[in-house]
Amino acid sequence: MSGATATPDRLAHAGVTAHGEGLVTLTGPALALERDLDRAFLALAARWSAEEEAHPPLIEADVLGRLDYFSSFPHLVTFPIELDPAEANIDAFRAGDPLDEASGTVRLTRLAPARHVLPPAACYHVYAHHEDEQIVAAPRFVTTRNTCFRREAAYQPLRRQWGFSMREVVC
Protein backbone atom coordinates (compact mmCIF):
# COMPACT_ATOMS: atom_id res chain seq x y z
CA MET A 1 0.00 0.00 0.00
CA SER A 2 2.42 2.62 -1.26
CA GLY A 3 2.40 5.41 1.28
CA ALA A 4 -1.36 5.33 1.87
CA THR A 5 -2.73 4.36 5.24
CA ALA A 6 -4.22 0.88 5.07
CA THR A 7 -7.59 1.09 6.78
CA PRO A 8 -9.43 -2.12 7.72
CA ASP A 9 -12.03 -1.37 5.03
CA ARG A 10 -9.35 -0.90 2.32
CA LEU A 11 -7.62 -4.09 3.42
CA ALA A 12 -10.86 -6.09 3.46
CA HIS A 13 -11.73 -4.80 -0.02
CA ALA A 14 -8.33 -6.07 -1.23
CA GLY A 15 -8.91 -9.48 0.40
CA VAL A 16 -6.92 -9.00 3.63
CA THR A 17 -8.53 -9.59 7.01
CA ALA A 18 -6.37 -8.71 10.03
CA HIS A 19 -6.94 -10.78 13.15
CA GLY A 20 -4.77 -8.77 15.54
CA GLU A 21 -1.54 -10.13 17.02
CA GLY A 22 0.05 -10.05 13.57
CA LEU A 23 -2.17 -12.62 11.84
CA VAL A 24 -4.01 -12.14 8.54
CA THR A 25 -6.29 -14.10 6.24
CA LEU A 26 -5.88 -13.62 2.48
CA THR A 27 -8.78 -14.07 0.06
CA GLY A 28 -9.66 -12.89 -3.43
CA PRO A 29 -7.20 -10.39 -4.94
CA ALA A 30 -4.69 -10.56 -2.06
CA LEU A 31 -4.50 -14.36 -2.25
CA ALA A 32 -4.18 -14.22 -6.05
CA LEU A 33 -1.36 -11.69 -5.70
CA GLU A 34 0.45 -13.88 -3.16
CA ARG A 35 0.24 -16.86 -5.52
CA ASP A 36 1.39 -14.75 -8.50
CA LEU A 37 4.37 -13.46 -6.52
CA ASP A 38 5.34 -16.97 -5.47
CA ARG A 39 5.18 -18.13 -9.10
CA ALA A 40 7.38 -15.16 -10.09
CA PHE A 41 9.96 -16.05 -7.43
CA LEU A 42 9.87 -19.69 -8.53
CA ALA A 43 10.51 -18.55 -12.11
CA LEU A 44 13.42 -16.44 -10.90
CA ALA A 45 14.79 -19.42 -8.95
CA ALA A 46 14.45 -21.57 -12.07
CA ARG A 47 16.74 -19.16 -13.95
CA TRP A 48 19.47 -20.27 -11.52
CA SER A 49 18.36 -23.93 -11.71
CA ALA A 50 17.46 -23.79 -8.02
CA GLU A 51 16.36 -27.07 -6.52
CA GLU A 52 13.10 -26.75 -4.63
CA GLU A 53 12.93 -28.19 -1.13
CA ALA A 54 10.06 -28.53 1.35
CA HIS A 55 10.90 -28.46 5.05
CA PRO A 56 8.84 -29.07 8.20
CA PRO A 57 6.88 -26.34 9.98
CA LEU A 58 9.19 -26.58 13.03
CA ILE A 59 12.96 -26.32 13.32
CA GLU A 60 15.15 -27.89 15.99
CA ALA A 61 16.20 -25.41 18.67
CA ASP A 62 19.81 -26.57 18.46
CA VAL A 63 19.95 -25.46 14.79
CA LEU A 64 19.09 -21.89 15.74
CA GLY A 65 21.37 -22.17 18.76
CA ARG A 66 24.35 -23.04 16.54
CA LEU A 67 23.54 -19.95 14.46
CA ASP A 68 23.46 -17.77 17.62
CA TYR A 69 19.85 -16.82 16.90
CA PHE A 70 18.75 -16.90 20.55
CA SER A 71 21.43 -14.38 21.55
CA SER A 72 20.90 -12.17 18.51
CA PHE A 73 17.09 -12.15 18.28
CA PRO A 74 15.57 -13.44 21.55
CA HIS A 75 12.68 -11.00 21.25
CA LEU A 76 11.53 -12.53 17.93
CA VAL A 77 11.42 -16.23 18.94
CA THR A 78 8.13 -18.13 19.00
CA PHE A 79 8.10 -21.50 20.73
CA PRO A 80 5.59 -24.29 20.07
CA ILE A 81 4.88 -25.27 23.65
CA GLU A 82 3.50 -28.53 24.95
CA LEU A 83 2.40 -29.74 28.33
CA ASP A 84 4.69 -31.92 30.39
CA PRO A 85 3.23 -35.36 29.55
CA ALA A 86 3.23 -36.60 33.17
CA GLU A 87 -0.25 -37.99 33.86
CA ALA A 88 -0.73 -35.83 36.97
CA ASN A 89 0.10 -32.69 34.95
CA ILE A 90 -2.32 -33.64 32.13
CA ASP A 91 -5.03 -34.37 34.70
CA ALA A 92 -4.39 -31.00 36.40
CA PHE A 93 -4.65 -29.21 33.07
CA ARG A 94 -7.87 -30.97 32.15
CA ALA A 95 -9.43 -30.33 35.57
CA GLY A 96 -8.35 -26.71 35.75
CA ASP A 97 -10.84 -25.19 33.28
CA PRO A 98 -8.12 -24.73 30.62
CA LEU A 99 -9.64 -21.86 28.64
CA ASP A 100 -10.16 -18.45 30.23
CA GLU A 101 -13.03 -17.36 28.01
CA ALA A 102 -12.90 -13.74 29.17
CA SER A 103 -9.34 -13.22 27.94
CA GLY A 104 -9.16 -16.02 25.34
CA THR A 105 -6.01 -17.39 26.96
CA VAL A 106 -5.17 -20.93 27.95
CA ARG A 107 -4.33 -21.63 31.59
CA LEU A 108 -1.21 -23.76 31.32
CA THR A 109 0.16 -26.21 33.83
CA ARG A 110 3.78 -27.39 33.80
CA LEU A 111 5.37 -27.31 30.33
CA ALA A 112 7.70 -29.81 28.67
CA PRO A 113 11.16 -28.56 27.63
CA ALA A 114 11.13 -26.71 24.30
CA ARG A 115 13.15 -28.60 21.71
CA HIS A 116 11.73 -26.92 18.63
CA VAL A 117 11.06 -23.38 17.44
CA LEU A 118 8.64 -22.00 14.88
CA PRO A 119 11.01 -20.94 12.08
CA PRO A 120 11.76 -17.19 11.89
CA ALA A 121 12.92 -17.55 8.26
CA ALA A 122 12.70 -20.28 5.62
CA CYS A 123 16.45 -20.39 4.94
CA TYR A 124 17.46 -21.81 8.33
CA HIS A 125 16.15 -25.23 7.31
CA VAL A 126 18.27 -25.11 4.15
CA TYR A 127 21.43 -24.28 6.10
CA ALA A 128 20.83 -27.16 8.52
CA HIS A 129 19.92 -29.61 5.76
CA HIS A 130 23.13 -28.90 3.81
CA GLU A 131 25.54 -28.07 6.65
CA ASP A 132 27.88 -31.04 6.16
CA GLU A 133 28.11 -30.78 2.38
CA GLN A 134 31.25 -29.73 0.55
CA ILE A 135 31.13 -26.43 -1.31
CA VAL A 136 31.95 -27.07 -4.96
CA ALA A 137 33.45 -24.74 -7.54
CA ALA A 138 30.09 -23.78 -9.07
CA PRO A 139 27.33 -22.09 -7.07
CA ARG A 140 24.34 -24.17 -6.04
CA PHE A 141 20.90 -22.66 -5.56
CA VAL A 142 18.03 -23.96 -3.44
CA THR A 143 14.57 -22.48 -3.02
CA THR A 144 12.12 -23.18 -0.25
CA ARG A 145 8.93 -21.76 1.17
CA ASN A 146 7.70 -22.02 4.72
CA THR A 147 5.40 -20.37 7.19
CA CYS A 148 7.60 -18.22 9.41
CA PHE A 149 7.05 -16.53 12.76
CA ARG A 150 8.53 -13.46 14.41
CA ARG A 151 7.22 -12.11 17.71
CA GLU A 152 7.47 -8.40 16.92
CA ALA A 153 6.83 -5.58 19.38
CA ALA A 154 4.09 -4.21 17.09
CA TYR A 155 2.30 -5.52 14.04
CA GLN A 156 0.99 -4.02 10.83
CA PRO A 157 -0.91 -6.15 8.29
CA LEU A 158 1.27 -7.21 5.34
CA ARG A 159 4.31 -5.35 6.76
CA ARG A 160 5.01 -6.71 10.23
CA GLN A 161 3.28 -9.97 11.07
CA TRP A 162 3.70 -12.73 13.63
CA GLY A 163 3.02 -15.48 11.08
CA PHE A 164 3.66 -15.15 7.35
CA SER A 165 4.76 -17.14 4.29
CA MET A 166 8.30 -16.70 3.06
CA ARG A 167 9.90 -17.96 -0.16
CA GLU A 168 13.70 -17.77 -0.24
CA VAL A 169 16.36 -18.55 -2.79
CA VAL A 170 19.59 -19.59 -1.09
CA CYS A 171 22.96 -19.73 -2.84
Side-chain angles (χ1 to χ4, degrees), residues 106-162:
V106 178
R107 295 180 185 101
L108 298 171
T109 54
R110 191 174 59 249
L111 299 177
R115 290 185 172 82
H116 292 86
V117 176
L118 297 174
C123 61
Y124 291 120
H125 284 293
V126 175
Y127 302 143
H129 187 69
H130 297 281
E131 74 179 315
D132 292 325
E133 294 178 10
Q134 279 292 14
I135 297 176
V136 294
R140 178 177 179 197
F141 294 89
V142 172
T143 185
T144 190
R145 180 182 168 131
N146 212 325
T147 301
C148 300
F149 301 86
R150 294 184 188 158
R151 194 69 175 137
E152 302 276 1
Y155 299 108
Q156 188 176 11
L158 303 184
R159 293 189 180 170
R160 289 282 183 205
Q161 295 178 179
W162 188 3

Side-chain angles (χ1 to χ4, degrees), residues 19-37:
H19 298 284
E21 288 295 312
L23 304 172
V24 299
T25 295
L26 302 179
T27 60
L31 181 58
L33 177 60
E34 183 206 29
R35 288 180 176 159
D36 288 347
L37 287 170

Side-chain angles (χ1 to χ4, degrees), residues 3-4 17 20-21 28 43-44 49 58 62 68 70 79 90 103 105 110 128 140 143 159-160 168:
T17 304
E21 288 295 312
L44 181 62
S49 301
L58 302 174
D62 69 324
D68 206 24
F70 299 118
F79 298 97
I90 298 298
S103 66
T105 59
R110 191 174 59 249
R140 178 177 179 197
T143 185
R159 293 189 180 170
R160 289 282 183 205
E168 293 196 70

